[in-house]
Amino acid sequence: MSMPILYALLAASLFGASTPFAKALAGDVSPVLLAGLLYLGSGLGLTGVRLIRDGRWVESGLKAAEWPWLLGAIGFGGVLGPAALMFGLVHTTGAAASLLLNLEAVLTAALAWLVFKENADARVVFGMVVIVAGGVLLSWPTEEIGATPWLGSLAIAAACLCWAIDNNLTRKVSASDALFIAGAKGLAAGTTNTALALLFGVPLPSLLAGASAMLLGLLGYGVSLVMFVLALRGLGSARTGAYFSTAPFIGATIALFGFGEAANWTFWAAAGLMGIGVWLHLTEHHQHEHEHGLVEHSHGHEHDQHHQHDHADGLNPSERHSHAHRHAPLTHSHPHFPDIHHQHNH
């Protein structure tokens, strides 16, 4: 299993695991404020980790042309998305919302394939469909949903579209510092949701509940998002979104075995569908002759067939390192994903 796939599954595991724990906190903290604290814990925690790692505040390293992508991702995913979701939750049922949230993975893949021109063969598309089908089945209510106001459904669908745009825009800057990207998005989303909660007069939680929510956010939202960005770097938006769609199953598994919740036939059927979908993606083999143009960027790397440059400062090329480097034009053939080095047309 490649490292980008492992990053994607770790992102899904951390986010999925956070759901039952967040549910346990929901009795003490209102949903809007809980979302704000989770995101704030992510943003503040990752910013602190970055300061400790670098020993001081270091510039993001983003190029001028990359800032619009990041600001767009923060605007859609950290501001508009959470606001639309909170509005939708007020005007629809929880069961309907659970089903509608499966739209994020579908819309992420659709935008990646149709707008951003990521490669997709029949195997990958079918794997995506099967994984999403498992997510829909897992969240299918055991009782009748009932009538759902169209305004609430439209708002949640809009939130999913915002996050799908966020995922694809984040891919454009995924070669940059993942800690900075995830920390900036966490601070934006946390500030937005917390401000909304205070605006509506939501009471503040106890110190223990607030601290628990922020710690949970650091792990389930912050570290998970760092893993997600690293996966985007190596897999592209659609495939990362497909692996991340297993998060509901992971959360349900923890709720089942960790919190003693009962499992029904839909859980095991969803597990089978998601297992088939992940297997289809894991066994993908995409290879053809392709051309690399002249590219200059900075990211963590080891020397391989794409990184054969010299180092003037005595760096050991066999060890992983990060610096600005240039890729000369190259034409070759090997198995690959639509990562930061393979964004060519087919």
Side-chain angles (χ1 to χ4, degrees), residues 33-49 182-191 193-194 210-223:
L33 183 57
L34 178 59
L37 293 174
L38 289 169
Y39 280 116
L40 275 180
S42 165
L44 293 174
L46 292 180
T47 300
V49 170
K185 293 173 73 173
L187 286 174
T191 302
N193 284 278
T194 303
S212 298
M214 294 184 74
L215 177 60
L216 180 62
L218 172 59
L219 298 174
Y221 286 59
V223 178

Side-chain angles (χ1 to χ4, degrees), residues 6-193:
L6 182 59
Y7 289 143
L9 292 175
L10 282 173
S13 298
L14 287 168
F15 183 76
S18 71
T19 302
F21 289 99
K23 182 178 178 180
L25 286 171
D28 300 320
V29 188
S30 76
V32 180
L33 183 57
L34 178 59
L37 293 174
L38 289 169
Y39 280 116
L40 275 180
S42 165
L44 293 174
L46 292 180
T47 300
V49 170
R50 187 167 179 263
L51 287 172
I52 293 172
R53 181 197 66 182
D54 298 332
R56 57 186 178 85
W57 177 256
V58 176
E59 296 294 328
S60 66
L62 288 173
K63 298 178 181 177
E66 293 177 319
W67 275 103
W69 299 115
L70 178 58
L71 293 176
I74 291 174
F76 280 102
V79 179
L80 296 178
L85 176 64
M86 294 309 151
F87 179 83
L89 289 176
V90 173
H91 293 86
T92 190
T93 64
S98 297
L99 290 175
L100 287 166
L101 286 174
N102 286 288
L103 281 173
E104 180 185 349
V106 177
L107 292 172
T108 295
L111 287 175
W113 293 332
L114 299 176
V115 178
F116 293 92
K117 306 302 180 183
E118 275 191 19
N119 164 258
D121 54 29
R123 185 186 193 87
V124 171
V125 173
F126 184 64
M128 179 73 192
V129 171
V130 173
I131 291 172
V132 172
V136 171
L137 187 61
L138 188 66
S139 58
W140 197 268
T142 56
E143 298 178 1
E144 189 69 28
I145 291 179
T148 302
W150 67 269
L151 189 59
S153 298
L154 185 62
I156 293 176
C160 291
L161 177 60
C162 286
W163 288 321
I165 295 172
D166 167 21
N167 293 337
N168 281 280
L169 295 182
T170 300
R171 186 213 175 187
K172 292 290 189 178
V173 296
S174 60
S176 302
D177 186 356
L179 275 177
F180 173 79
I181 293 170
K185 293 173 73 173
L187 286 174
T191 302
T192 299
N193 284 278

Side-chain angles (χ1 to χ4, degrees), residues 220-291:
Y221 286 59
V223 178
S224 173
L225 184 52
V226 171
M227 296 294 105
F228 189 86
V229 172
L230 293 175
L232 284 173
R233 183 182 298 174
L235 297 175
S237 303
R239 289 163 179 79
T240 300
Y243 286 116
F244 193 76
S245 295
T246 61
F249 169 71
I250 295 167
T253 302
I254 291 174
L256 174 64
F257 295 102
F259 289 82
E261 294 188 6
N264 53 26
W265 69 269
T266 59
F267 173 84
W268 301 111
L273 287 171
M274 288 188 170
I276 292 171
V278 170
W279 175 79
L280 287 169
H281 278 248
L282 286 174
T283 53
E284 175 193 5
H285 184 84
H286 179 74
Q287 179 173 349
H288 59 90
E289 185 174 274
H290 55 276
E291 181 178 347

